[in-house]
Amino acid sequence: MKKKILKLLAAGSLTAILGYGAYVYACAGGEWGAGYTSIFSPEITVNNKEYQPFFYDDYTTFYNGYSVQSPGDLFKDENVADWTSYLKKYTPETVEYYLYNKELDVPLRTISQAKNPEAEFKKQNFKFTLDTSDEKTQKFVLFAMLARGIETYSNQTYNYWDYDNRVQLNADTDFTGKVENLYKKQASQKDDFFKNRMWFQVVRSKFYSSDRASVITFFNDTQKDQPKNNLYYQALSYVGGAYKNLKNYEKANATFAQVFNQCKPMMPSALFDYKPLDAAAFKASLNQAPNQSAKEAMYALQGYYTNEFSAMQELYKLNPNSPHIDFVLSRWVNINEQSINIYNEYEKLDIDAKKVKKELKDKVNASELKWINEVANDSKVHNPYIWKATAAYFNSLAGDYSKADNLLKSAHTLAENSNQKGQVRSLRLLNNLLSVDQIDLKAEGKLIEDVNWLFYEETFPVKDYVSEGRTDYLQSFTKKYISALYKKQGDGLMSELTYPIKGFFKDQKQSNAMEKLLLSSQRSAWQDIFVGIYPYKLADIYESRGIYLFYQDKIDEAIAEFEKITPFESKTYNWNKEQYETEMVDYKTAQFPGNPFNGKIKDCNDCDHAAKQSVKYSQLEFLYKIKEMKAKIAAGEDVYRNALLVGNAFYNTSYFGNARFFYYNEIINEYGNSISNEHSKMLYGMENVQKYYNIAKKAAADNEQKAKMAYMLAKTQRNDFYYNKYFSTTTYWGYPDGPVVQKWQGFVDLKTNYSDTKYYQDVIAECGYFRKYLGLQ
């Protein structure tokens, strides 16, 4: 006899369900990336996207920003497709609308409480029309309402900072009983699809009830009649959760292992729910596994959280062909890389090849490598490629370059795609690189093809600006290692070309040598590789020379270098337009943000930058102006003013002034709020400033001018104090450990000799340091 399913609503069976209110997200069920020190890509070597969430990540539980999806999101498309196929008369858009649209919560609640739900349903102005005279449609509406009611409990959220008011809302016995009764009423029907959906809703309601353990009994009593579909494994996951709630972790883990094995979309959630156990408890939990495949998954899950190497060994004994072993191996490799490959270890380039190779070898666990070699050679594993590649990699690190080379040849043969062949090439380059102790023609011939590939030709996929081939560390290590070899051989030019270091261009001879090499038409193919990736242009070199010469007070020579600079194309990324844009850049015409000749009582760079400038100076115009002023000083023309302005120019182009912009150069590379040791004396130093301020002081015509020079010299003495006391040390964090106001000579002169001047009063008004010195504050 055909039944009116919606009449169940009139009997009040679902009034309580929708009375609580819920969102419909899932009617069928309740993110600094890869290591900087890695060259081994799990995406490429494992070559199985199902395992990608479980690759090793330096910072997060899951790899590459992956997060566990709720079953509702995970199975939404499948759920819509299943119901669409079942109903036959509605589009997927219609089905999705009734199952997932949040705006239907209130109207469906109203319908559920009506005396005549079917009539009330017809009155609603829904976006899509349903034929409620159709029995399957009525079941669909019933299911939608039922699932929404359960999500009253399953979709609860909390304020994580409110520790005192976290109340778990559990489905009461009456609620779960009604849901179970609705399921039982379908038990005698032939509609297996609908019975399966209703069965799953009973599992969910029991899991979110106050008697969570009841889901275990219900599942065990009824599961044999259910198809082994994704709903089944979602239900099994609830069972695992119930065991976990009972603190029966052995049984819970065995249950999650089954889900991990049998339901690929739920592998991440099963791994996330798994609780790692100590050795004894884990051994006991293996006895709870229903079959060998579940045991294999348990070893993999346990290894994910604990000792991946021992888990690999046990998993290999149980089934060397298990696909789970691949991702566990990739984690072992990537975790070991964190301690073996240290990103900045070779930064100073004062190493020799033998020391590097010994350090690498000492960090490789010889007994673990022995076992890896054995497995790689017996070909029983699911993915022999990853084992050959791993063994080759660690034999290279351990110094057995011949064995590594043979393994890499085998891996290349086993490679299934170009990316896997590229991974072999990366490892081959590392192996060949470590096998050389000096750079000569023989070494160049051995390395040149793969080095050229690494920097110019590799085509690994790029995701979120990061190469899946993990070439960044290999590029850095290759440049540093080769540079260190050149330095050991006394070839400073090639050492700089292969890996630039700060301070190289301070030496004019070295700067000239690099310019000559970059302009040469007689370079070798080996040199061309590194010229092509050298980060500095000729414009950078000329500008750096001009800057260095300026701080030596060699203005004519600095101008000559700036005159050599020619405009060049520069590409910058426009984030608003999401595209690269090309513009012409000419360093010598770049303008200062403030007047570089200003010299005021109070240093305020932002104020100077914001002030209106009657004359704006480019860098080259600035140098020409200084040249003009120096000529007037030499000729005895208005010496006081010209010397003061030149002194101001040197002051403002120091760290303390308003024209730091002048020394912003790619090679000099001093952009921050501190200066490196390489340039500290040049950019913190006040020698040139004091030289010209003293000239101005000597040429001062009256006490007002002399007072000003006493104070301006006091500023340089203050800066010298800060440099010597704080900036030249490595322990200063911006908090002086003693008095910051000293008895600087300029203050003494100003107070002793010029207290009757207007400038003296101006200094008192503007300079807190001076007031403190005078005891006025």
Side-chain angles (χ1 to χ4, degrees):
M1 185 178 80
K2 184 176 179 180
K3 295 183 179 180
K4 291 286 186 179
I5 302 298
L6 286 181
K7 286 185 177 180
L8 291 168
L9 297 178
S13 59
L14 291 184
T15 300
I17 293 177
L18 290 186
Y20 291 102
Y23 293 107
V24 178
Y25 290 113
C27 289
E31 157 195 347
W32 228 299
Y36 290 111
T37 58
S38 174
I39 67 172
F40 192 87
S41 168
E43 293 101 323
I44 292 171
T45 54
V46 176
N47 195 28
N48 188 332
K49 290 187 176 181
E50 291 166 357
Y51 289 97
Q52 281 199 14
F54 319 130
F55 298 156
Y56 178 73
D57 191 287
D58 305 65
Y59 305 108
T60 61
T61 298
F62 290 111
Y63 178 72
N64 210 15
Y66 185 91
S67 58
V68 177
Q69 295 177 280
S70 71
D73 294 329
L74 199 59
F75 296 106
K76 179 178 178 180
D77 291 343
E78 177 185 304
N79 192 35
V80 170
D82 287 347
W83 275 104
T84 302
S85 176
Y86 169 76
L87 294 167
K88 289 186 172 60
K89 57 194 308 181
Y90 305 113
T91 65
E93 291 78 14
T94 301
V95 172
E96 181 177 340
Y97 173 72
Y98 282 99
L99 291 180
Y100 293 95
N101 193 299
K102 300 176 186 179
E103 296 179 358
L104 296 194
D105 184 55
V106 172
L108 288 179
R109 181 189 298 117
T110 302
I111 291 170
S112 71
Q113 297 172 343
K115 290 182 178 180
N116 187 341
E118 185 172 358
E120 189 64 31
F121 188 89
K122 290 180 179 179
K123 291 180 183 178
Q124 300 296 319
N125 187 26
F126 291 127
K127 181 178 179 180
F128 299 100
T129 302
L130 295 180
D131 178 13
T132 54
S133 65
D134 174 69
E135 183 176 356
K136 285 188 175 181
T137 301
Q138 294 186 33
K139 291 179 179 180
F140 173 62
V141 174
L142 172 64
F143 173 83
M145 294 179 179
L146 177 64
R148 286 170 185 262
I150 293 172
E151 284 162 5
T152 300
Y153 315 104
S154 66
N155 288 343
Q156 293 179 73
T157 59
Y158 305 98
N159 178 348
Y160 288 102
W161 295 105
D162 187 358
Y163 296 101
D164 299 322
N165 297 299
R166 292 188 186 177
V167 179
Q168 172 68 46
L169 179 63
N170 293 316
D172 59 30
T173 305
D174 183 57
F175 173 84
T176 56
K178 287 176 180 177
V179 176
E180 189 168 0
N181 285 334
L182 286 172
Y183 162 68
K184 289 178 179 178
K185 287 182 180 181
Q186 304 302 313
S188 61
Q189 303 301 310
K190 295 182 180 181
D191 192 338
D192 292 335
F193 175 87
F194 188 63
K195 283 192 291 186
N196 183 225
R197 261 62 186 171
M198 295 297 291
W199 170 80
F200 179 66
Q201 298 308 316
V202 178
V203 172
R204 292 178 69 215
S205 68
K206 287 183 176 293
F207 181 80
Y208 290 107
S209 73
S210 56
D211 183 14
R212 185 163 290 182
S214 64
V215 73
I216 299 172
T217 303
F218 177 79
F219 180 88
N220 289 338
D221 290 345
T222 58
Q223 59 88 20
K224 63 182 181 299
D225 298 324
Q226 302 303 320
K228 298 298 188 295
N229 54 13
N230 284 334
L231 281 180
Y232 178 90
Y233 291 106
Q234 290 178 65
L236 186 60
S237 182
Y238 282 125
V239 172
Y243 279 122
K244 193 172 182 179
N245 185 251
L246 294 170
K247 295 185 169 35
N248 186 346
Y249 301 121
E250 292 85 354
K251 190 68 176 178
N253 284 352
T255 305
F256 292 133
Q258 292 180 70
V259 176
F260 186 85
N261 254 345
Q262 301 299 327
C263 186
K264 296 185 186 303
M266 294 192 70
M267 290 170 72
S269 65
L271 182 142
F272 187 79
D273 287 329
Y274 181 92
K275 180 179 176 63
L277 303 172
D278 60 38
F282 175 70
K283 187 174 182 181
S285 70
L286 289 171
N287 296 326
Q288 302 290 334
N291 50 50
Q292 178 172 306
S293 63
K295 289 183 179 180
E296 293 172 19
M298 291 176 73
Y299 275 117
L301 296 175
Q302 182 75 5
Y304 182 94
Y305 289 106
T306 58
N307 187 321
E308 70 286 340
F309 189 80
S310 62
M312 263 198 306
Q313 289 181 305
E314 295 302 321
L315 178 52
Y316 182 79
K317 290 178 187 176
L318 192 63
N319 178 14
N321 195 244
S322 170
H324 301 326
I325 201 170
D326 299 342
F327 89 83
V328 183
L329 175 62
S330 77
R331 290 180 62 83
W332 177 83
V333 174
N334 293 151
I335 290 170
N336 272 272
E337 284 181 301
Q338 302 303 298
S339 58
I340 294 175
N341 298 334
I342 300 177
Y343 191 71
N344 291 317
E345 186 169 359
Y346 309 116
E347 189 72 40
K348 295 181 180 178
L349 302 176
D350 56 355
I351 57 169
D352 61 45
K354 291 181 180 179
K355 181 181 178 182
V356 173
K357 289 189 276 193
K358 184 180 186 304
E359 289 181 357
L360 293 175
K361 182 177 181 179
D362 289 345
K363 292 176 182 177
V364 175
N365 186 308
S367 63
E368 291 183 351
L369 178 55
K370 180 181 179 183
W371 184 80
I372 294 290
N373 283 331
E374 291 172 357
V375 176
N377 287 327
D378 65 15
S379 300
K380 295 178 182 177
V381 289
H382 172 262
N383 177 0
Y385 168 84
I386 190 175
W387 288 89
K388 297 287 187 183
T390 298
Y393 184 13
F394 280 78
N395 277 289
S396 293
L397 297 173
D400 195 336
Y401 310 118
S402 176
K403 180 181 286 186
D405 186 61
N406 289 329
L407 286 161
L408 287 169
K409 290 175 181 176
S410 297
H412 187 272
T413 301
L414 292 165
E416 297 179 352
N417 52 54
S418 60
N419 290 333
Q420 289 193 339
K421 290 177 180 178
Q423 177 71 85
V424 171
R425 197 163 190 177
S426 290
L427 296 173
R428 184 177 73 192
L429 172 56
L430 177 70
N431 188 57
N432 287 339
L433 191 65
L434 291 173
S435 71
V436 302
D437 294 325
Q438 63 178 16
I439 300 297
D440 51 22
L441 289 176
K442 182 179 179 181
E444 289 177 11
K446 189 174 186 178
L447 297 171
I448 189 169
E449 186 178 349
D450 288 336
V451 170
N452 186 72
W453 167 83
L454 176 66
F455 291 109
Y456 295 97
E457 298 174 0
E458 66 90 354
T459 56
F460 288 117
V462 175
K463 182 179 180 182
D464 297 330
Y465 307 103
V466 177
S467 168
E468 285 189 0
R470 299 196 173 188
T471 53
D472 285 351
Y473 177 75
L474 182 59
Q475 288 182 350
S476 179
F477 181 83
T478 298
K479 290 187 289 185
K480 289 177 182 179
Y481 188 83
I482 293 173
S483 180
L485 293 179
Y486 275 123
K487 185 175 182 181
K488 195 74 175 179
Q489 294 167 208
D491 192 338
L493 180 62
M494 286 303 295
S495 180
E496 164 68 17
L497 181 68
T498 49
Y499 188 75
I501 60 171
K502 187 176 288 189
F504 177 84
F505 287 90
K506 287 170 67 176
D507 186 312
Q508 184 76 20
K509 290 182 180 179
Q510 293 182 161
S511 179
N512 291 336
M514 182 60 73
E515 177 189 9
K516 182 179 179 181
L517 177 62
L518 296 182
L519 291 171
S520 174
S521 61
Q522 304 298 318
R523 295 190 303 259
S524 68
W526 175 257
Q527 289 174 322
D528 278 341
I529 291 175
F530 295 100
V531 167
I533 61 173
Y534 193 60
Y536 307 134
K537 302 173 289 295
L538 285 169
D540 297 316
I541 294 175
Y542 297 143
E543 185 187 41
S544 72
R545 277 193 210 153
I547 293 170
Y548 283 128
L549 288 164
F550 167 80
Y551 288 107
Q552 297 170 46
D553 198 14
K554 297 178 179 179
I555 305 303
D556 287 339
E557 293 174 63
I559 289 172
E561 295 300 331
F562 268 86
E563 290 282 19
K564 294 178 184 177
I565 298 172
T566 56
F568 60 90
E569 283 189 351
S570 176
K571 284 187 176 181
T572 56
Y573 191 76
N574 186 319
W575 290 98
N576 293 324
K577 296 181 179 180
E578 296 185 347
Q579 64 185 25
Y580 280 97
E581 296 179 345
T582 301
E583 62 175 343
M584 295 301 294
V585 176
D586 189 351
Y587 290 154
K588 65 177 178 289
T589 63
Q591 292 184 322
F592 288 93
N595 189 327
F597 295 105
N598 276 351
K600 300 177 180 178
I601 292 173
K602 183 186 294 184
D603 289 339
C604 179
N605 296 343
D606 290 341
C607 304
D608 289 348
H609 295 171
K612 183 178 180 180
Q613 298 176 56
S614 57
V615 178
K616 296 200 73 169
Y617 291 95
S618 71
Q619 290 182 281
L620 189 55
E621 289 168 340
F622 168 70
L623 292 173
Y624 271 118
K625 193 66 177 178
I626 293 176
K627 178 180 179 178
E628 176 188 327
M629 291 174 177
K630 287 184 65 176
K632 289 182 178 180
I633 294 170
E637 181 182 336
D638 198 1
V639 174
Y640 168 79
R641 180 176 177 276
N642 285 296
L644 172 62
L645 293 176
V646 174
N648 289 345
F650 278 109
Y651 186 96
N652 283 319
T653 51
S654 76
Y655 171 84
F656 303 98
N658 70 18
R660 293 182 185 178
F661 166 80
F662 180 73
Y663 62 72
Y664 288 175
N665 168 266
E666 292 293 312
I667 291 171
I668 292 174
N669 191 28
E670 303 289 0
Y671 298 100
N673 289 325
S674 62
I675 304 297
S676 70
N677 290 336
E678 287 291 340
H679 299 115
S680 61
K681 186 175 181 181
M682 180 176 84
L683 300 180
Y684 285 129
M686 294 284 106
E687 184 178 347
N688 286 325
V689 186
Q690 291 167 352
K691 171 184 172 181
Y692 285 97
Y693 279 173
N694 278 315
I695 293 173
K697 178 182 177 181
K698 187 175 181 179
D702 55 40
N703 281 354
E704 288 293 338
Q705 292 181 348
K706 292 177 181 178
K708 182 169 187 174
M709 296 322 303
Y711 177 76
M712 299 301 279
L713 283 164
K715 286 174 64 177
T716 69
Q717 292 154 10
R718 175 204 62 191
N719 295 345
D720 282 341
F721 164 76
Y722 267 97
Y723 170 61
N724 293 318
K725 176 71 174 177
Y726 299 112
F727 298 155
S728 62
T729 72
T730 58
T731 57
Y732 179 60
W733 294 93
Y735 301 98
D737 58 2
V740 295
V741 178
Q742 305 291 308
K743 194 176 181 180
W744 295 305
Q745 186 60 48
F747 279 3
V748 174
D749 289 348
L750 185 59
K751 176 186 176 183
T752 304
N753 301 317
Y754 310 112
S755 60
D756 59 343
T757 62
K758 179 180 180 301
Y759 192 84
Y760 178 85
Q761 297 302 324
D762 291 342
V763 173
I764 291 176
E766 293 190 41
C767 180
Y769 275 14
F770 190 59
R771 290 196 300 272
K772 196 172 186 71
Y773 164 71
L774 294 176
L776 298 178
Q777 67 176 37

